[in-house]
Amino acid sequence: MAGGSDVAEAALSCALCGKPAHLQCPKCVDLKLPREDAAFCTQECFKASWSSHKSVHLKAKLCTLGTAETLGDGWLYCLKKGQGRTPKLPHFDWTGTLRPYPISSMRTVPSHIDQPDWAIDIKSPEQIERMRETCRIAREVLDAAARVVRPGVTTDEIDRVVHEATISAGAYPSPLNYHFFPKSCCMSVNEIICHGIPDARKLEDGDIVNIDISVYYKGVHGDLNETFFVGNVDETSKQLVQCTYECLQKAISIVKPGVRFREIGEVINRHSSMSGFSVVKSYCGHGIGELFHCAPNIPHYGRNKAVGVMKAGQTFTIEPMINAGVCRDRMWPDGWTAVTADGKRSAQFEHTLLVTESGVEVLTARLPSSPDVFPWLKP
Ligand code: MF3
Ligand code: CO
């Protein structure tokens, strides 16, 4: 650091001690910063101020280079893994003098160019037709599983029904061996948020159980889940499950070309908090098609930083997990089972969706033959 230089007009007072100031920080002069904050009475005061004073140089430099806000539309700082963007430089204990700069919005690639698996792809009419077939099989498998839910049945027995129904349809149960998942579907009882492993426990009167079905057929995946009542369930659980169903319906109702993915979380958050429930943040909806899980990432919580806008031909899931108590989750030692941190119950519903020119097609929609198990859907 260089010493302070002489101040021409001495009407200023020392930034440190307040005495009449005769020196000015040369760096501040270079950067044309306000003279009032840059004046010092002596070298001693200047040196004593240096460790805190120098930060004004960096701040000034970042300002003159332009923040995301001054740069204009599409210029934002990247957050973790590119999942989020922000107009303000995030806080971090930067290790050197280098800082990230705002980044412009994502460039597009013409549709005739082949896309790798991380691109949000637009499905061809032929791919869409295969998605319809696959999602219909997934729906029928879920309905078959729903019909055997009752007190005394083990979740392993329901998994067997799922497995048989899937292979009878000529499809592969996508969860089986997916990242070494050991069973053909996920079954999440009571405080399990998602990814519960079917096991030897018998369902009990008063339980709630989510059955999550994913199948792979003709080269594409379909994914849906519903939460069922086992026998007689307490009032809070009934409200939780109905509220979760409504959260998914409300989220689906806003899907159409041009809507931002981040809006989905706003709709779900608004509805669940109205009933005093909380939204899980650790697990999100996802793009789906030739890949089981791909872009876009779809958070279900409010004020999320999801990037992108819906376009006709995209297929993705919405699958809100709503908790009776706190939103925080923990993982069982099996590395799969996600449970609520407070042990209170969690419910979930999921559909695979197609964005159409006019709105949305629910590819995993209920069929006339689907079992009539939800009281709020009864005529
Ligand atoms: N529908 C679940 C999901 O999208 C399927 C998980 S399969 C598992 O997360 F193998 F990962 F459990
Ligand atoms: Co899913």
Side-chain angles (χ1 to χ4, degrees):
M1 127 201 151
S5 51
D6 288 313
V7 181
E9 322 95 88
L12 297 166
S13 49
C14 177
L16 189 67
C17 72
K19 287 183 195 156
H22 306 285
L23 300 172
Q24 190 145 32
C25 169
K27 195 113 197 201
C28 286
V29 173
D30 273 358
L31 291 165
K32 299 189 175 64
L33 292 179
R35 289 154 44 87
E36 300 72 43
D37 309 329
F40 299 93
C41 61
T42 56
Q43 287 290 344
E44 283 62 46
C45 269
F46 180 47
K47 282 180 185 159
S49 303
W50 180 253
S51 64
S52 62
H53 172 75
K54 65 185 178 188
S55 70
V56 309
H57 307 147
L58 186 63
K59 277 191 200 138
K61 218 171 144 189
L62 286 167
C63 284
T64 60
L65 292 166
T67 63
E69 276 151 341
T70 63
L71 275 167
D73 208 31
W75 288 88
L76 294 168
Y77 294 99
C78 250
L79 288 177
K80 204 175 160 196
K81 268 187 173 172
Q83 296 287 347
R85 299 286 210 95
T86 170
K88 293 232 163 17
L89 185 65
H91 177 77
F92 182 69
D93 51 338
W94 311 103
T95 64
T97 55
L98 197 64
R99 296 294 177 274
Y101 278 52
I103 294 169
S104 66
S105 52
M106 200 181 288
R107 293 182 222 291
T108 56
V109 174
S111 58
H112 71 269
I113 293 176
D114 263 3
Q115 307 228 325
D117 60 27
W118 50 87
I120 306 181
D121 63 352
I122 302 299
K123 265 74 180 175
S124 68
E126 178 272 330
Q127 282 173 308
I128 290 170
E129 196 41 52
R130 282 188 285 133
M131 289 287 293
R132 281 199 187 97
E133 285 183 68
T134 303
C135 287
R136 191 198 162 93
I137 292 172
R139 162 52 68 182
E140 283 170 346
V141 172
L142 178 63
D143 290 350
R147 288 188 192 98
V148 297
V149 169
R150 57 175 168 77
V153 179
T154 67
T155 51
D156 181 71
E157 280 161 32
I158 302 176
D159 178 74
R160 188 181 57 77
V161 169
V162 166
H163 187 82
E164 295 298 327
T166 308
I167 60 178
S168 299
Y172 182 95
S174 310
L176 188 61
N177 210 35
Y178 177 76
H179 293 279
F180 308 114
F181 189 82
K183 287 288 156 191
S184 298
C185 66
C186 299
M187 298 250 270
S188 302
V189 177
N190 299 343
E191 71 262 33
I192 302 181
I193 293 168
C194 64
H195 302 165
I197 302 171
D199 65 13
R201 180 183 178 276
K202 288 178 173 147
L203 291 176
E204 291 173 12
D205 184 62
D207 283 347
I208 58 170
V209 60
N210 177 277
I211 307 182
D212 190 338
I213 301 297
S214 320
V215 308
Y216 182 72
Y217 180 73
K218 293 194 180 173
V220 293
H221 296 269
D223 192 2
L224 83 162
N225 72 54
E226 288 178 344
T227 302
F228 304 104
F229 301 120
V230 183
N232 294 308
V233 167
D234 67 86
E235 200 49 43
T236 307
S237 298
K238 282 184 190 159
Q239 278 169 18
L240 176 69
V241 173
Q242 182 174 347
C243 175
T244 309
Y245 179 92
E246 291 164 354
C247 282
L248 175 56
Q249 294 308 313
K250 285 179 189 293
I252 291 170
S253 74
I254 68 159
V255 173
K256 66 172 184 198
V259 174
R260 290 174 202 280
F261 288 113
R262 65 165 188 248
E263 284 304 316
I264 290 171
E266 298 301 332
V267 170
I268 293 168
N269 181 57
R270 205 176 306 138
H271 191 63
S272 75
S273 52
M274 232 171 53
S275 305
F277 300 134
S278 67
V279 183
V280 171
K281 296 187 175 178
S282 302
Y283 300 89
C284 296
H286 50 89
I288 184 167
E290 263 110 55
L291 294 162
F292 191 1
H293 296 106
C294 53
N297 184 54
I298 304 192
H300 303 111
Y301 51 92
R303 296 157 164 269
N304 69 71
K305 304 274 190 292
V307 280
V309 167
M310 299 171 198
K311 296 185 187 74
Q314 291 171 341
T315 52
F316 57 85
T317 73
I318 304 180
E319 45 183 306
M321 287 141 274
I322 307 297
N323 296 352
V326 299
C327 68
R328 217 170 67 78
D329 58 282
R330 290 187 52 202
M331 178 78 85
W332 276 4
D334 60 21
W336 282 107
T337 311
V339 291
T340 57
D342 60 5
K344 293 192 179 165
R345 290 183 171 191
S346 182
Q348 183 180 21
F349 283 83
E350 173 178 28
H351 275 304
T352 296
L353 310 167
L354 165 71
V355 184
T356 63
E357 295 296 339
S358 61
V360 61
E361 181 178 332
V362 182
L363 299 175
T364 46
R366 290 171 63 80
L367 302 168
S369 59
S370 294
D372 203 3
V373 290
F374 300 119
W376 59 88
L377 295 183
K378 289 190 197 293

